[in-house]
Amino acid sequence: MIDVLIVDDDFMVAGVHQSFVERVEPFRVVGTANTGEQAITAVGELLPDLVLLDLYLPDMFGLDVIPRLRTAGHDCDVMVISASREVEAVRRSVRQGVVNYLLKPFEFDDLRPRLERYAAQRNSLLTTVVRGQADVDRVLTGAGWPAPAIALPKGMSVETAELIERTLGGTDGTLSAAECAALAGISRVSARRYLEHFHDTGRAEVSLRYGVAGRPERRYGWCT
């Protein structure tokens, strides 16, 4: 299980977020807090693995909670969930090592892939054996704040891009556009467009499979 503490100044919003989190395995909410001081105390008592941290708290700015947690020796991960769109808040979040930053208001389908990605990265960190530089690079790439997203072309959605990423990244070997579309539940044309975008931006690689006749089949694999 991955234990989660939810920190939000609005107890009703915290309840909604709790219902979202508990729909995603293997997460469970072990507590909620409505102020920064309550959050610091709760972390010390509950020892959560992940804190979902609002920034606009009544007694302090949310990011000021993090250094106090570190000073107290707590190494829990932090995911910011806030309405703050200030660039400096995002920059400070990056510098303080938060694992993600999700803007309010959001729906369950916005939070779910971020939790799933965090769970996969956490599992990878726990099971990694460092044999050389490649293993170190893999850990640094997969842990903590995700790599800056490349802007999607017009007409593409973040949600579908993440769906294709999960589908391709979770497959051993390669997929054709038709196979990816079937697994993701979208059209082949749409799947191919996103796959080609990932290839163009260096996140996916393409190999050709030659058949008896006709054009060779393009097959896509996620770059690791």
Side-chain angles (χ1 to χ4, degrees), residues 1 51 74-75 87 157 161 204:
M1 298 297 293
V51 176
H74 302 303
D75 62 355
V87 173
S157 72

Side-chain angles (χ1 to χ4, degrees), residues 160-173:
T160 304
E162 291 179 343
L163 173 61
I164 296 296
E165 177 180 342
R166 291 197 305 273
T167 302
L168 189 60
T171 302
D172 292 330

Side-chain angles (χ1 to χ4, degrees), residues 6 12 38 54-55 58 67 70 76 88 90-92 122 128-129 137 153 174 181 185 198 208 212 216 219:
I6 295 175
M12 293 186 65
Q38 288 178 10
D54 187 18
L55 296 187
R70 303 305 180 228
C76 54
E88 183 55 32
V90 178
R91 289 174 177 165
R92 281 188 62 190
R122 184 172 184 271
T128 292
V129 176
D137 293 342
T174 61
F198 286 141
L208 300 179
V212 176
R219 300 192 64 82

Side-chain angles (χ1 to χ4, degrees), residues 78-120:
V78 176
M79 181 184 298
V80 170
I81 293 182
S82 176
S84 176
R85 288 167 168 77
E86 288 82 1
V87 173
E88 183 55 32
V90 178
R91 289 174 177 165
R92 281 188 62 190
S93 297
V94 173
R95 289 194 295 267
Q96 294 190 18
V98 307
V99 299
N100 214 309
Y101 193 115
L102 179 59
L103 288 173
K104 292 180 179 179
F106 59 87
E107 302 296 333
F108 170 68
D109 286 339
D110 299 314
L111 178 62
R112 176 178 55 81
R114 289 167 172 81
L115 290 178
E116 291 175 341
R117 186 183 305 120
Y118 168 77

Side-chain angles (χ1 to χ4, degrees), residues 12-213:
M12 293 186 65
V13 172
V16 172
H17 294 173
Q18 176 173 348
S19 69
F20 286 172
V21 170
E22 292 183 337
R23 290 168 61 184
V24 184
E25 294 184 354
F27 294 88
R28 66 177 178 185
V29 175
V30 295
T32 61
N34 304 121
T35 69
E37 291 293 345
Q38 288 178 10
I40 295 165
T41 300
V43 168
E45 295 174 349
L46 302 173
L47 302 178
D49 302 300
L50 177 66
V51 176
L52 302 190
L53 180 65
D54 187 18
L55 296 187
Y56 296 134
L57 301 175
D59 56 342
M60 66 180 72
F61 191 58
L63 291 179
D64 294 332
V65 170
I66 299 176
R68 292 186 56 181
L69 293 178
R70 303 305 180 228
T71 299
H74 302 303
D75 62 355
C76 54
D77 293 315
V78 176
M79 181 184 298
V80 170
I81 293 182
S82 176
S84 176
R85 288 167 168 77
E86 288 82 1
V87 173
E88 183 55 32
V90 178
R91 289 174 177 165
R92 281 188 62 190
S93 297
V94 173
R95 289 194 295 267
Q96 294 190 18
V98 307
V99 299
N100 214 309
Y101 193 115
L102 179 59
L103 288 173
K104 292 180 179 179
F106 59 87
E107 302 296 333
F108 170 68
D109 286 339
D110 299 314
L111 178 62
R112 176 178 55 81
R114 289 167 172 81
L115 290 178
E116 291 175 341
R117 186 183 305 120
Y118 168 77
Q121 291 170 346
R122 184 172 184 271
N123 182 65
S124 177
L125 283 171
L126 291 175
T127 58
T128 292
V129 176
V130 177
R131 301 181 182 89
Q133 186 63 48
D135 296 314
V136 175
D137 293 342
R138 192 175 300 113
V139 169
L140 293 178
T141 300
W145 186 268
I150 298 173
L152 292 171
K154 184 177 181 180
M156 288 189 178
S157 72
V158 172
E159 293 77 15
T160 304
E162 291 179 343
L163 173 61
I164 296 296
E165 177 180 342
R166 291 197 305 273
T167 302
L168 189 60
T171 302
D172 292 330
T174 61
L175 293 175
S176 67
E179 291 168 342
C180 185
L183 290 171
I186 63 175
S187 72
R188 183 188 63 80
V189 173
S190 293
R192 173 146 188 174
R193 186 182 180 203
Y194 284 87
L195 290 167
E196 286 295 328
H197 168 70
F198 286 141
H199 176 238
D200 292 341
T201 55
R203 301 175 69 189
E205 54 190 10
V206 172
S207 59
L208 300 179
R209 175 181 292 177
Y210 291 88
V212 176

